[in-house]
Amino acid sequence: MARKAADKAYQKEVGETPPENPDEPDVEWRQALLWGAATGVLVGVARVVGRRAGREVIHRAPRTPV
């Protein structure tokens, strides 16, 4: 999900499709750095949202004695 969001955000902002592999020699530095920044931010946001949602579910779950 984060990958698809990163693809769409990159394409909207840069106007190009994101590079398949930023490590390839034919990918410009600018494209590789922008792609790395975009994916890093979106993956970080997805991790925070996932952790918070998980904590909330655990907090709301009924507690049973062990």
Side-chain angles (χ1 to χ4, degrees), residues 5-62:
D7 285 348
K8 288 181 182 180
Y10 183 91
Q11 191 164 6
K12 182 179 179 183
E13 291 299 320
V14 178
E16 303 172 4
T17 57
E20 287 292 319
N21 183 0
D23 294 334
E24 293 292 324
D26 61 333
V27 175
E28 295 176 16
W29 274 98
R30 178 181 177 273
Q31 290 178 316
L33 292 173
L34 285 172
W35 179 239
T39 56
V41 167
L42 289 172
V43 169
V45 168
R47 288 180 67 187
V48 169
V49 169
R51 286 181 180 175
R52 287 189 62 120
R55 255 188 254 126
E56 189 171 317
V57 167
I58 290 171
H59 181 69
R60 291 183 180 196

